[in-house]
Amino acid sequence: MIDEVRKHWAALVGAVLELTGGLLVAFLSVLVPVEVWWLPFAVGAALSIHAGWRILERRLDRFVITNMRVFRVHGILSQRIATMPLARILDISVHKPFIGRILGYGHFVFESAAQEQGLREIRFVGDPDGRGITIQRVIAQSGLRGAIQATGAPPAAPASAPVEGAVDAAPQAPSAPLVPESAPIPPRPPLPASRAGWDWLADAQQREQDHLSRLRGEEPGRGIPPFDPDRTPTAPIPTTR
């Protein structure tokens, strides 16, 4: 987590004024006749509860910046989380009203490829310039923006223009073409004809038997039955019928 942004205190001004008004209305219950004391008290209590709910709602509204994404968490009883990867952020607009410039807050407007409605606008962000720089720094550090410089040999120095009237010391040989001229491709040698069936295996067995006969001092090629692929010296494989 890089930064956690809560609502600026200016977002609580309206709720605090409503809470103050509710307390004043509730205090009027001691000044009115006893028969109707409950009326200002009920109105003041309702205004105070509503103002307290607004204050708690704004205090629990958080905007979090991480090294991979940004997300917003808000809600009291039921919580909602809206998230957006840094790779989908196309543009960030900061709106600072006149009062916001004086008090030090602004509103963020995100333009993204996914168009997440929960992160479309983040209001009452304190120090909007610093938070905007933080987001841009995180995006740059993650390698999602900026041109990639190719590594390799340094570019050759540009050739200088010829000076009028200058004489070359020696004629330069014509440079070789960058793309070689196409030469005829020699034909490939013909591939040996492949033997069909199991003849190649029979030849290999015949050579092996001849080698063993020479080692035993016998004449090669005597007493070797013809090769039968259906009668190999392998163990029988049990099959279920």
Side-chain angles (χ1 to χ4, degrees), residues 198-215:
W198 293 89
D199 294 343
W200 63 272
L201 188 58
D203 292 345
Q205 187 178 12
Q206 180 69 37
R207 289 194 298 270
E208 182 179 1
Q209 293 294 339
D210 293 345
H211 180 65
L212 293 177
S213 299
R214 283 192 294 269
L215 293 178

Side-chain angles (χ1 to χ4, degrees), residues 41-60:
F41 181 81
V43 174
L47 291 176
S48 301
I49 292 174
H50 184 261
W53 183 272
R54 291 177 57 191
I55 293 175
L56 184 60
E57 183 181 18
R58 282 161 174 74
R59 292 298 300 171
L60 294 180

Side-chain angles (χ1 to χ4, degrees), residues 54-139:
R54 291 177 57 191
I55 293 175
L56 184 60
E57 183 181 18
R58 282 161 174 74
R59 292 298 300 171
L60 294 180
D61 194 346
R62 294 167 294 167
F63 175 63
V64 183
I65 305 171
T66 68
N67 60 341
M68 296 181 62
R69 63 186 66 245
V70 294
F71 60 92
R72 178 192 178 196
V73 183
H74 60 103
I76 300 177
L77 299 180
S78 60
Q79 192 178 68
R80 288 185 248 178
I81 300 177
T83 180
M84 180 192 304
L86 292 177
R88 293 188 178 181
I89 298 178
L90 303 179
D91 190 18
I92 303 175
S93 301
V94 180
H95 172 62
K96 293 187 291 184
F98 178 72
I99 302 298
R101 297 183 63 183
I102 297 176
L103 301 180
Y105 70 88
H107 311 308
F108 278 4
V109 179
F110 289 95
E111 298 291 342
S112 65
Q115 292 296 331
E116 293 285 347
Q117 297 298 328
L119 278 173
R120 172 70 177 175
E121 185 176 3
I122 307 296
R123 299 180 59 83
F124 294 100
V125 178
D127 189 15
D129 295 332
R131 264 51 188 268
I133 293 175
T134 300
I135 296 176
Q136 297 294 340
R137 176 173 54 84
V138 173
I139 293 176

